[in-house]
Amino acid sequence: MPDDPRPASLSGPLSAWAAGPLRVLDLSEGVAGGYCTKLLADAGADVVKVEPPEGSRLRRWSATAEDPAGDGALFEFLNTSKRSVTGAVEEPSIMELASRADVVVEDLDPARFESSGLKGLPGVVVVSISPYGRSGPWAGRPGGDLVVQAESGCVSGRGLPGGEPFGVGGRVFEFVAGGYAATAALAAAGTARRSGAGEHVDVSLTESAAVGSFSCHAELMARLDGVTPEMARRAPVARVEIPSIEPTADGWVGFTTNSRQQLDDFLVLIDRPELIGDERFTLAKDRWNYFEEWNHLVQEWTTKHTTEEVIERAVELRIPVAPVANAETVRANPQFVARGVFEPNPSGGFAQPRCPYTITGVDRPVFGPVPQPGEHTGTVDWAEPAPRGGGNPSLPLAGLKVLDMTAWFAGPLAAHFLATLGADVVHLEATTRMDGMRATGGALAQKFPDWWECSSQFLSINTDKRGVTLDLRADAGRRALDELIGWADVLIENFTPRVMGNFGLTWEALHDLNPNLVLVRMPAFGLDGPWRDWTGFAQTMEQVTGLAWVTGHVDDQPRIQRGPCDIVSGVHAVFAALVALEVRRQTGQGVMVESTMVEAALNAAAEQIVEYGKYGHVMGRQGNRSAWAAPQGLYRRDDGSWLAVSVERDEHFDALCRALGASDWAADPALATHSGRRARHDELDRRLSEWVAARGAETAADQLAAAGVPAGLVADQRFLSQRPQFAARRFFEELDHPVVGRQPVPGMPFRFASVDRWLHRPAPLLGEHNHQVLVGDLGLGEQEFEALRAAGVIGDRPAGL
C-alpha cells in the first residue's frame, strides 16, 4: 500500500490521540455532518470523507451562484484539512475503514443506515445526524430546514402582529447540531479509548433547533404561568424582540435589553427617562401590547442620529449594542480587523472565519487544502484499530470537577453540558449578585414569593449542578474561592475581560494556585481588540455577524434570531474545553482556553460570508423561502394552524406531485429541476395553499410526510412535550424541584445508546450546597462556616430580601 499521505496541516491535540491521531470517517452529506467533522479536523483529527465518484452533492452547491465553477464555497469552508476517498457504506473497503475508525459520522437515509451494520462496530463511536433522530415514530420521516424549525417550536415564536410567522435564516441549526455532534463524539471517543466500548450518538436536528431557538424553555415558562391550551389559542407567542434592530440616519443598529437596568438605560439613551417604570413598557409582553407606540418613540430618536453616534452613546451607558452587518460589511468590523478573525481558504482563496478558540501553548490550526473527490482512495493506512483500554464504561466526564463562574445563558449552558456528561459542576453566585438569569423569574413574583428560583431558563440550563454563594469582595470569600480553584479541574467564566482582572484572577495567578487547572474564558468579543470590554449577548452576535440580515420577511427589516448564538457559543466552549483537557493529558499542565462568543457565531454565519467572498453576492432575507428548497414556505388553514413544507430534492418534488395528484407538474420539464421550481415558486405556492386549506395542517403534514415530502406542523412551543417524537425520545425529563414542583425540563439534543437519561438533579436553589461543598468537599470547619454565614459572605436569599 502507498504511504499514508495525511494532510501536512494535520496537527493539534487530536493528532496525538493515542498511538496516532483520532480517526474520523465522514459518511455525511449535509452541513451538520460537515461542520461536525470540520471541528474535529481543525483540532487535529485525521478526517477521511467518503464521497460518490462524482463527488458530494454539496460540492456543486451555491446559495447565490447559478452554476459555480469548481467546488462551492460552503463545501470548501467545511472540508479543509480532510482527505477524500470514493465509495459507499455498502462496500467492504469503506466498512473496513469504519471498523478501524474511532468515530464515524453519518446522515444516511434511514433504510441505508439500518442495513449498514454501523451500529454493531465494536469500540467505534457512531454519530448519526438526522431530522428527527434514529428512534421514535418519526425516525424515518423526511425533514428540511424549515420543517425541522416548525416542529421544534422555533417558528411559532417569531412574527409580527397579525402576520405570518417566520423561521431563522442561514441554516444556523445545522451548525448547532454539528457543534453538539462534534462535542458528543469527542467525549464518547474518550470513554471508548478508556473502556474499549463503542457508543451510538443519535443527534436530532429538530431537538437541536428546539435548544438553539430557546423554544424548549417555553413550555416550562407557560406551565409556571398557568397557561392552558385554551389560553394559548387566544394568545399566540409569535413575536419579535423590542427594542432590538432599529433604523438610524444611515443604516441599522442593534440593541439588547435583557435586564431591567439595561432597559432603563435605553430609555435614558433615547431621551425618554420619564418612561422609566411606565407599566406599559416595563416588561417585554407589555411593550408588545403597545407595539406601534413603542416603535414610534424609539425610532423618532434613532433616525435622527447616525449609527456611529448611537453606538458611541450606548457604549457609554453600557447598553449591549452593535452595528447590523451583512456579508459585505462584516469583514470591515474594527474588532474583527484588529483580531484578524478571517483567514484565507487554501483552496477557494476567499476569506473565512478562523477556528473560534485558542489554547495556550497550542498554535491555531492552519487550514489544509480541500481534497479532490477520491484524491486519497487506496492510500488511507488505518492498518490496525487504535489501541483501547479495558475499563468499565461510564459517563465521559465522570470524576471531572468544574467551577462554574458564569451567568445568563451561554456560559451556564456550557457548564450544563459538562454536567450532563458526568462532571461535578459547582455554580458560583453571590447573594449580592446572583446569576442574572434568575431575575427573569420576577414575572412570577405574585405567584411564587421565592421568584428568583422560578426562571424557566435558569431551571433548564442549571440542572445536574450544585450551587454555592460567595461574596468575593470579602477576604474570607476570596480565600474560599482560592480553595475552590484548587479543588477544580476546570474553571469556566463568561464575564467581560476586565472583571477577572479586577478580582486578581489572571491566568498567571490561577495557574499558580492550581497548575493543573484548565481555564475556559468565554468573552463576548475577545480578550483584546477595541471592543474587548463591550458587553454582548446572543442578540448582539446575531446583529453583528450578519445572521439577522438573513432572517425575516423580504419586505421587512432584519430581525434577530432570538437565541442560537448563545447555544453556538456554549457548545464551542465545551468542545474547546475537551480539546484542552486532551492537551493537559498529554503535557501534564493546565492551560487557558479563549472561546470567543462572536467568533463562534461567525462560524455559524459562514455560508453568507464565504458566498460573498467567492462570488461577490450578498445573501438577504427570503422570509420562509430558501435557496435550498422550492417550494418551501408556510401554508395556513382558516383555524390559524400552519403547515411547513420544504422540497429540497427532486425526489421530494416527485413525492409532492403524487400526494397532490399533480400529474401536470410531474410532466412539466421546467419543474424537473430545482432552479425551474424556484422560478415558478409563486405558482407552486398557490396550488399548495389551496390543497392545505382543504385539510387540517397536521393532517396535511402527516399525509405529505407519509408520501415522502418534508412537511410538518408549526408546533406551539408551549406544548412541545406533547408532540409524539419529543415524547418518544424523552427529550423532556421530569425533575422534582422544591419551589416549582415536578416539571418537564429539556435534556440534550442527542441520545447515547448507553445513557437512559441525562438529568438527575434539579437546578440548585441559591446557595443550596454551601455546606456540602465548603465543609464537605473543601474541609472548612463548622465554626468557620457559621462565621461566613453570619458575615453575609454566603447565604441562600438575595441580599436585601
Side-chain angles (χ1 to χ4, degrees):
M1 178 176 287
D3 291 339
D4 184 12
R6 289 177 294 176
S9 61
L10 185 64
S11 61
L14 302 189
S15 66
W17 179 250
L22 182 76
R23 301 170 176 180
V24 180
L25 190 68
D26 182 3
L27 292 167
S28 70
E29 281 276 2
V31 173
Y35 191 63
C36 165
T37 51
K38 169 183 165 54
L39 286 172
L40 294 167
D42 287 349
D46 183 10
V47 178
V48 175
K49 183 171 185 61
V50 179
E51 304 183 72
E54 69 275 14
S56 166
R57 286 196 306 268
L58 203 57
R59 286 185 184 271
R60 301 181 293 280
W61 168 255
S62 168
T64 64
E66 190 67 34
D67 292 304
D71 291 334
L74 180 59
F75 182 89
E76 291 178 319
F77 167 73
L78 293 172
N79 289 286
T80 54
S81 306
K82 299 178 185 178
R83 297 193 280 176
S84 171
V85 301
T86 53
V89 70
E90 293 83 5
E91 297 176 18
S93 62
I94 300 302
M95 283 303 293
E96 181 68 16
L97 285 176
S99 70
R100 295 178 177 181
D102 296 295
V103 175
V104 175
V105 179
E106 64 85 18
D107 59 7
L108 300 168
D109 290 336
R112 288 187 72 194
F113 173 69
E114 289 301 326
S115 65
S116 68
L118 288 172
K119 281 196 293 186
L121 294 175
V124 177
V125 174
V126 177
V127 180
S128 296
I129 303 172
S130 62
Y132 299 105
R134 292 298 190 197
S135 63
W138 292 0
R141 196 163 175 162
D145 179 51
L146 183 64
V147 173
V148 159
Q149 290 192 45
E151 285 288 359
S152 77
C154 166
V155 176
S156 70
R158 287 157 181 76
L160 294 168
E164 177 182 303
F166 56 85
V168 166
R171 296 183 76 95
V172 67
F173 298 122
E174 298 238 24
F175 289 90
V176 170
Y180 270 113
T183 308
L186 187 53
T191 298
R193 178 175 63 181
R194 293 188 298 272
S195 70
E199 184 63 86
H200 184 213
V201 181
D202 180 6
V203 182
S204 162
L205 288 167
T206 303
E207 292 169 8
S208 298
V211 173
S213 66
F214 281 43
S215 63
C216 64
H217 307 295
E219 180 163 0
L220 180 53
M221 184 185 302
R223 288 169 67 102
L224 296 179
D225 205 19
V227 175
T228 65
E230 179 58 33
M231 294 166 62
R233 281 190 288 271
R234 297 196 304 267
V237 291
R239 295 181 178 179
V240 295
E241 207 163 289
I242 49 174
S244 180
I245 294 176
E246 309 294 346
T248 65
D250 60 353
W252 300 95
V253 67
F255 302 99
T256 306
T257 55
N258 285 342
S259 70
R260 174 66 183 273
Q261 185 61 58
Q262 289 166 349
L263 179 67
D264 290 350
D265 292 339
F266 178 81
L267 291 170
V268 172
L269 170 74
I270 63 171
D271 296 332
R272 300 302 297 266
E274 74 277 8
L275 296 178
I276 294 175
D278 190 316
E279 62 183 17
R280 295 173 298 167
F281 306 128
T282 300
L283 299 177
K285 63 181 181 181
D286 297 325
R287 293 194 293 278
W288 182 258
N289 293 331
Y290 295 90
F291 186 82
E292 296 295 338
E293 183 178 350
W294 170 264
N295 284 339
H296 175 74
L297 67 90
V298 169
Q299 294 169 14
E300 185 180 35
W301 184 87
T302 60
T303 54
K304 294 176 181 176
H305 302 272
T306 66
T307 301
E308 184 177 356
E309 291 168 346
V310 172
I311 289 175
E312 182 178 3
R313 185 171 179 187
V315 169
E316 291 175 355
L317 293 170
R318 301 197 62 78
I319 302 167
V321 66
V324 178
N326 61 27
E328 182 178 12
T329 61
V330 66
R331 286 181 56 193
N333 181 293
Q335 180 70 4
F336 302 160
V337 172
R339 284 175 55 86
V341 305
F342 294 103
E343 296 181 354
N345 181 281
S347 298
F350 52 81
Q352 69 179 54
R354 67 183 180 184
C355 178
Y357 63 86
T358 59
I359 300 173
T360 54
V362 177
D363 293 336
R364 278 192 185 273
V366 176
F367 298 133
V370 178
Q372 293 301 303
E375 181 179 342
H376 305 96
T377 300
T379 68
V380 178
D381 185 14
W382 290 349
E384 298 292 339
R388 299 180 175 98
N392 293 323
S394 60
L395 283 174
L397 302 185
L400 189 76
K401 295 174 288 188
V402 177
L403 178 57
D404 172 13
M405 295 179 65
T406 68
W408 287 101
F409 204 94
L413 177 128
H416 172 248
F417 198 166
L418 295 170
T420 57
L421 292 174
D424 179 7
V425 177
V426 172
H427 184 52
L428 184 64
E429 304 176 75
T431 59
T432 55
R433 192 177 181 84
M434 63 185 181
D435 186 335
M437 191 58 79
R438 287 188 182 272
T440 63
L444 300 172
Q446 292 185 343
K447 186 174 181 180
F448 294 99
D450 295 349
W451 51 264
W452 57 91
E453 308 291 3
C454 303
S455 162
S456 62
Q457 292 175 352
F458 184 90
L459 291 169
S460 296
I461 61 169
N462 288 285
T463 54
D464 288 347
K465 300 181 186 180
R466 297 189 287 169
V468 167
T469 53
L470 284 177
D471 185 346
L472 302 185
R473 299 171 302 177
D475 291 342
R478 271 305 307 273
R479 288 193 297 271
L481 176 63
D482 289 349
E483 292 292 323
L484 273 173
I485 292 168
W487 165 87
D489 294 296
V490 175
L491 189 160
I492 184 167
E493 63 87 15
N494 68 338
F495 300 115
T496 53
R498 61 186 176 80
V499 173
M500 292 291 279
N502 289 346
F503 281 121
L505 298 173
T506 63
W507 164 238
E508 293 74 19
L510 292 168
H511 190 61
D512 287 344
L513 280 169
N514 183 352
N516 292 317
L517 184 72
V518 171
L519 171 64
V520 180
R521 306 197 67 180
M522 298 177 62
F525 295 104
L527 297 177
D528 56 22
W531 289 14
R532 172 183 183 270
D533 291 319
W534 285 26
T535 303
F537 291 86
Q539 301 98 312
T540 321
M541 305 305 128
E542 292 155 16
Q543 294 155 0
V544 78
T545 61
L547 285 170
W549 193 264
V550 296
T551 299
H553 290 296
V554 176
D555 57 356
D556 189 28
Q557 66 177 65
R559 296 291 180 184
I560 61 168
Q561 301 181 327
R562 301 186 72 189
C565 289
D566 268 330
I567 287 72
V568 167
S569 173
V571 171
H572 279 83
V574 177
F575 182 83
L578 297 185
V579 176
L581 286 166
E582 176 63 17
V583 174
R584 188 180 74 168
R585 186 191 70 80
Q586 295 173 11
T587 65
Q589 287 287 311
V591 291
M592 184 184 78
V593 173
E594 179 192 10
S595 184
T596 306
M597 191 176 191
V598 76
E599 293 185 39
L602 283 169
N603 274 265
E607 181 175 21
Q608 59 178 307
I609 294 171
V610 300
E611 283 283 317
Y612 179 77
K614 186 162 187 174
Y615 309 115
H617 300 155
V618 177
M619 293 175 63
R621 295 175 295 286
Q622 298 187 59
N624 288 313
R625 291 185 178 181
S626 165
W628 290 79
Q632 175 173 286
L634 299 184
Y635 306 92
R636 188 176 189 179
R637 183 164 159 75
D638 291 342
D639 63 4
S641 60
W642 293 89
L643 172 75
V645 175
S646 185
V647 175
E648 294 188 354
R649 302 182 187 177
D650 293 344
E651 54 264 36
H652 295 158
F653 186 68
D654 293 341
L656 181 66
C657 292
R658 290 193 298 271
L660 270 62
S663 57
D664 55 327
W665 284 359
D668 190 337
L671 297 177
T673 65
H674 175 69
S675 59
R677 294 190 290 272
R678 288 195 71 192
R680 290 168 61 180
H681 208 305
D682 290 344
E683 173 192 336
L684 300 177
D685 270 355
R686 284 192 294 271
R687 189 152 163 188
L688 191 49
S689 295
E690 292 170 0
W691 186 86
V692 172
R695 296 157 178 81
E698 189 148 22
T699 299
D702 290 341
Q703 288 180 341
L704 290 175
V709 182
L713 180 72
V714 174
D716 190 324
Q717 59 185 228
R718 293 167 292 188
F719 305 101
L720 282 187
S721 69
Q722 300 172 28
R723 299 295 293 156
Q725 186 68 0
F726 282 107
R729 284 175 58 83
R730 293 171 288 122
F731 173 72
F732 291 91
E733 300 179 17
E734 291 195 344
L735 291 171
D736 289 308
H737 187 274
V739 175
V740 302
R742 189 169 184 83
Q743 301 290 351
V745 181
M748 304 303 287
F750 57 83
R751 308 296 305 179
F752 276 17
S754 65
V755 176
D756 182 59
R757 60 179 293 144
W758 292 114
L759 309 182
H760 302 280
R761 179 188 306 186
L765 303 176
L766 187 66
E768 179 180 354
H769 300 99
N770 284 340
H771 189 275
Q772 184 184 104
V773 172
L774 299 178
V775 176
D777 292 333
L778 301 187
L780 261 65
E782 292 290 349
Q783 286 187 332
E784 187 176 0
F785 179 81
E786 290 301 326
L788 290 176
R789 182 156 58 186
V793 175
I794 61 175
D796 56 12
R797 292 181 65 82
L801 292 180

